[in-house]
Every structure is written in C-alpha cells, then in structure tokens.
Amino acid sequence: MMTTAQYLRQIENYDNRIKNKLIEEEQLSSLSTSVSAIPVGEKVQTSVKRDPMGDMVAKIFDLREEISKMISEFLQEIVRTIEQVEDPLLYDILFKHYVEYKSLVRIADEMGYSEIHIKKKHLKAIAEIKKIKGFER
C-alpha cells in the first residue's frame, strides 16, 4: 500500500517520464527529417517495401499518444485530488510542494509564514489527502 506522500510524489515521477518522452519525440522528429528515401532497384522484389518515414511518423504518433495518456490519466488525477482540499492555504502548500516542487522552506518564505507553521500545515494537508483517498497511512 502506498503512503499519501508517495502518492503525491508520483507527480514528479510522471513529470520526469513525460519530459523524457518529449525528448524522445523531439529526437525522432529530428531523425524523420533526415531519413532519405531508400533507392528502389530494377529488381522485382516479393518482400514488403520498408517505409522508414512512415515508421518514424507512426513512432512519433505513438509517443504523443503515450504522453497524452500519462498526462490525462495520471497527472490530472493527482492534481484533481489536491484540488479537493477545501482549505486554500493547505491547497496552496500541496500544489507548491508537489506540483511546483518547491521546498517547504521556500513556500514558507514566499507565503510569509514561519517554516514551522508551514510544516504543521503540510502535515494537516497530507491528512486531508489521506481522508480524500482513503489511505491508511
């Protein structure tokens, strides 16, 4: 069973995966512009002709579909959970910490609160997510 913090930290994991997929897509797009047509000889071939450009376009399309699925199914689900926290301060802390990857110290500084106050509020926010998701720990 995953903890509440592990659940929220999935955002960073998915974000990193999406960034890597975008890099992969960019590389494939770059390669697709450099793929040249394979010269066809005068021989009659019985095998299927390879279409490198078509293969590349299909891979790019598949990557885009995968990225879209990751965003809609995983990231949005976690963000929607955070949005269910009714207290605006708790919501802000969760969003800044887990979506924007800010430290609690930085959040305290930005919001004009003490670090201790933000840490206590963070624990309260985690408890809210725990209730929303029905986590045991």
Side-chain angles (χ1 to χ4, degrees):
M1 179 97 193
M2 126 177 2
T3 67
T4 307
Q6 287 171 329
Y7 170 76
L8 292 169
R9 285 195 182 97
Q10 288 182 102
I11 293 174
E12 188 171 9
N13 183 28
Y14 286 118
D15 191 35
N16 288 333
R17 286 182 184 184
I18 290 167
K19 285 177 186 172
N20 289 340
K21 293 291 180 187
L22 289 170
I23 290 168
E24 189 178 344
E25 178 195 2
E26 185 178 308
Q27 290 172 338
L28 283 174
S29 293
S30 178
L31 281 173
S32 72
T33 60
S34 66
V35 172
S36 59
I38 298 173
V40 179
E42 292 183 25
K43 295 181 187 177
V44 175
Q45 296 180 344
T46 56
S47 64
V48 178
K49 293 180 189 174
R50 299 275 310 152
D51 179 10
M53 181 60 96
D55 291 347
M56 198 71 71
V57 169
K59 286 180 185 178
I60 291 169
F61 179 79
D62 290 345
L63 266 174
R64 287 181 181 165
E65 286 292 312
E66 190 176 347
I67 291 166
S68 178
K69 184 178 180 179
M70 290 174 81
I71 291 169
S72 65
E73 290 184 12
F74 305 114
L75 290 180
Q76 287 183 358
E77 191 269 326
I78 296 169
V79 171
R80 277 194 297 270
T81 301
I82 292 171
E83 289 173 344
Q84 291 179 48
V85 174
E86 293 180 12
D87 183 316
L89 178 61
L90 301 183
Y91 165 81
D92 283 345
I93 292 168
L94 288 170
F95 193 87
K96 289 175 184 294
H97 191 58
Y98 294 102
V99 178
E100 296 179 350
Y101 314 122
K102 294 180 180 178
S103 70
L104 295 177
V105 173
R106 182 171 175 194
I107 294 168
D109 185 53
E110 286 179 2
M111 297 180 86
Y113 290 105
S114 72
E115 184 180 339
I116 292 170
H117 180 74
I118 291 298
K119 285 182 178 181
K120 285 179 183 178
K121 290 294 184 179
H122 175 255
L123 291 174
K124 188 172 180 181
I126 292 291
E128 288 291 317
I129 295 294
K130 189 185 297 187
K131 279 195 298 189
I132 291 166
K133 293 302 290 180
F135 291 136
E136 292 180 22
R137 328 181 235 166

